[in-house]
Amino acid sequence: MLLSLHYVIIATLCYYHYIMLLSLHLITRISFPFSIGHRHQQTTAKRVEEVEFDGPCMKTEVPGPRSKILAQQLESIQSVVQVNFFCDYEESKGNYLVDVDGNRMLDVYTQIASIPIGYNHPALTKVMTDPKNMGTFVNRPALGMMPPEQFSEKLVNGLMAVAPKGFSRVQTMACGSCSNENAYKAIFIWYRVRAGVLSFFFQVPGCPDLTLLSFMGGFHGRTLGCLATTHTKAIQKLDVPSFDWPIASFPQLRYPLDQFERENAREEARCLEEAEDLIVKWNQKGRHVAGVVIEPIQAEGGDNHASFDFYTKLRGITKKHGCAFLVDEVQTGGGSTGKFWAHEHWGLDDPADIVSFSKKMLTGGYYQKDSFQPDKPFRIFNTWLGDHTKNLLLTEVIKVIKTENLLDQAKRSGKVMLEGLYDLQDKYPHLLSKARGIGTFCAIDVKDEDTRNLLLLKARNKGVVLGGCGTQSIRFRPALVFKEHHAHLFLDIFNDAITELK
Ligand SMILES: Cc1ncc(COP(=O)(O)O)c(C=O)c1O
């Protein structure tokens, strides 16, 4: 009896929510009848609606009772400190993540920016169930030594079809850290081979004292080499031995950008000068800087942007001093900025020597200039060298991005997001500041860390999954199928969550 009453209440709440969302869609349509977005939405609406829910539907607080039980079970085997809640990946669809308590949430975080075209996209489930692909899914081939027949064809139609300008080679890997770790090795090998020195021993000169320059606030992974170039939270580096490599300041821009043009230009010039000085000094002391690694937007570090001019000049410095330039697109790559690669916004003919990726690209790896291909076998190697099932899925993802014009979609949805965030920061100036972003790759700062964390929880209980970055920022990382109406819906719920803070 009690149980059925419980279900009646839940059904009523979801129905109520559905009606609210429906009216919200109608209001949006009435208020923006001529926006390009809605014209686009009408042409593709059926396709998306077929695979998606109408809006969030909350039944419990998150984590709910089932999540808590599962966390208790897991606790005896693993730490659960970082587990937010358990998910039902069968039920999740499109932009909506469903948890094990049946809560359906609009996902504006997407597994740390890693779901390119939404949950359970039919194009991807088709790949999984295609008997032609069964062998790849059942037997995970070791790609370095025994690749399957269609390996190069899938690379050509997948990763190479979206290769950044100037790159004709790609090396697949597993995760983002694994990609950077091996890209660093490729840089060191390139540096030595170029200098005509072969290394054989585990000490100098066989194991040269080369270095890699990174930036404060950068994040490139948590494996040992990557960790030496990661400078976000102290806890990530605590107790772990590290390389002593040069670290330059990353520009701390002041917002709104148009009001601080002079100050920001000065700040960027200071950082560029510091980076160049470090390269010169470390070269002089014999600890040569073989490469420079940077993100096009420092993501984990707090969505820190620098101008395209900053990156252009930095690229110039690396060329001048013979350092490789590694652009880490693990988080920015895959289309959310409105271009497939965030560094394409810089508009350079020769923007990088290596570009690493993972997350939305499903497979990890890096594009490299020809000269970075190691001269001998097994210098860059591991058992799997990526995962061919991810290459199969990525080929479909890229088709969907192209046929559904999802890069333009990211620009349009991003515009709605950013304008909405500007409005919110005007409305709550004591709470919010520094709304920023390109495409849907947006962020906003909250007045302090505790308030930010509270806001994330409140938004989640209202049906929106968000993530933090840096000390007090909220980052928005929706999938590429996130449309204008999702952005409106998100802004509405986010506004509700903010009002609850007061
Ligand atoms: C820019 C960047 N590089 C590297 C990594 C590391 O990737 P992974 O967590 O897959 O090892 C991340 C992860 O967030 C990242 O954002």
Side-chain angles (χ1 to χ4, degrees), residues 66-86:
R66 178 82 186 125
S67 261
K68 285 182 185 157
I69 290 170
L70 292 172
Q72 272 168 9
Q73 286 172 6
L74 185 63
E75 199 165 21
S76 58
I77 317 167
Q78 276 193 1
S79 163
V80 292
V81 193
Q82 60 230 354
V83 173
N84 291 344
F85 53 89
F86 286 79

Side-chain angles (χ1 to χ4, degrees), residues 160-460:
M160 292 318 298
V162 291
K165 197 151 112 190
F167 289 93
S168 53
R169 305 191 76 80
V170 71
Q171 176 63 63
T172 50
M173 286 288 164
C175 63
S177 304
C178 179
S179 308
N180 282 334
E181 194 79 29
N182 283 286
Y184 293 1
K185 278 180 61 186
I187 287 175
F188 293 132
I189 293 169
W190 163 82
Y191 198 84
R192 294 285 281 183
V193 169
R194 203 181 45 156
V197 193
L198 249 185
S199 309
F200 284 112
F201 307 105
F202 295 110
Q203 50 189 249
V204 174
C207 183
D209 200 3
L210 295 176
T211 63
L212 207 72
L213 182 136
S214 53
F215 287 83
M216 285 311 296
F219 186 96
H220 302 289
R222 293 178 167 88
T223 50
L224 280 178
C226 292
L227 200 56
T229 58
T230 282
H231 317 289
T232 44
K233 297 189 177 112
I235 187 74
Q236 290 157 351
K237 292 163 84 90
L238 198 63
D239 297 332
V240 183
S242 191
F243 293 110
D244 173 24
W245 288 349
I247 310 162
S249 303
F250 188 83
Q252 303 288 302
L253 299 189
R254 294 176 67 186
Y255 287 78
L257 293 177
D258 56 357
Q259 283 175 33
F260 292 101
E261 272 173 21
R262 211 149 17 106
E263 291 83 347
N264 289 339
R266 225 181 293 132
E267 168 67 353
E268 291 195 338
R270 179 187 74 80
C271 295
L272 286 168
E273 197 181 319
E274 188 182 315
E276 185 162 15
D277 269 4
L278 282 168
I279 295 172
V280 170
K281 284 197 185 118
W282 284 65
N283 284 350
Q284 276 168 357
K285 59 181 178 181
R287 304 198 58 206
H288 289 253
V289 179
V292 171
V293 59
I294 197 161
E295 296 157 87
I297 300 164
Q298 285 190 335
E300 297 297 312
D303 269 30
N304 307 320
H305 292 247
S307 71
F308 302 154
D309 181 59
F310 170 82
Y311 285 100
T312 303
K313 288 182 175 146
L314 184 64
R315 175 54 171 150
I317 291 172
T318 61
K319 282 191 171 174
K320 179 172 162 197
H321 295 281
C323 319
F325 194 45
L326 164 46
V327 179
D328 179 347
E329 291 255 18
V330 166
Q331 191 151 164
T332 47
S336 54
T337 67
K339 290 193 187 280
F340 209 92
W341 303 104
H343 75 258
E344 289 175 301
H345 290 279
W346 307 341
L348 300 182
D349 283 334
D350 181 22
D353 296 306
I354 299 195
V355 174
S356 57
F357 54 82
S358 181
K359 292 190 182 275
K360 277 196 176 48
M361 302 300 287
L362 305 182
T363 173
Y366 55 89
Y367 297 99
Q368 58 184 343
K369 294 260 184 74
D370 296 0
S371 51
F372 286 78
Q373 182 73 54
D375 55 337
K376 303 223 166 2
F378 299 107
R379 301 194 78 181
I380 301 283
F381 188 76
N382 60 47
T383 303
W384 283 317
L385 284 179
D387 177 347
H388 194 54
T389 63
K390 306 291 191 229
N391 299 331
L392 298 181
L393 293 167
L394 180 68
T395 309
E396 293 309 308
V397 166
I398 289 168
K399 264 192 221 157
V400 171
I401 292 177
K402 289 189 172 165
T403 54
E404 297 192 10
N405 233 332
L406 294 182
L407 298 186
D408 284 343
Q409 180 61 62
K411 285 182 204 152
R412 288 194 300 272
S413 306
K415 188 165 181 287
V416 175
M417 288 274 286
L418 200 54
E419 280 169 4
L421 293 173
Y422 288 144
D423 289 347
L424 287 176
Q425 80 179 8
D426 286 347
K427 195 165 160 193
Y428 307 106
H430 56 292
L431 267 179
L432 303 176
S433 62
K434 289 174 70 175
R436 56 201 182 275
I438 312 181
T440 56
F441 202 102
C442 296
I444 197 160
D445 277 14
V446 183
K447 73 172 171 130
D448 57 48
E449 189 170 1
D450 288 347
T451 315
R452 187 269 311 266
N453 294 345
L454 188 62
L455 186 52
L456 293 178
L457 294 183
K458 289 211 176 285
R460 195 167 73 192

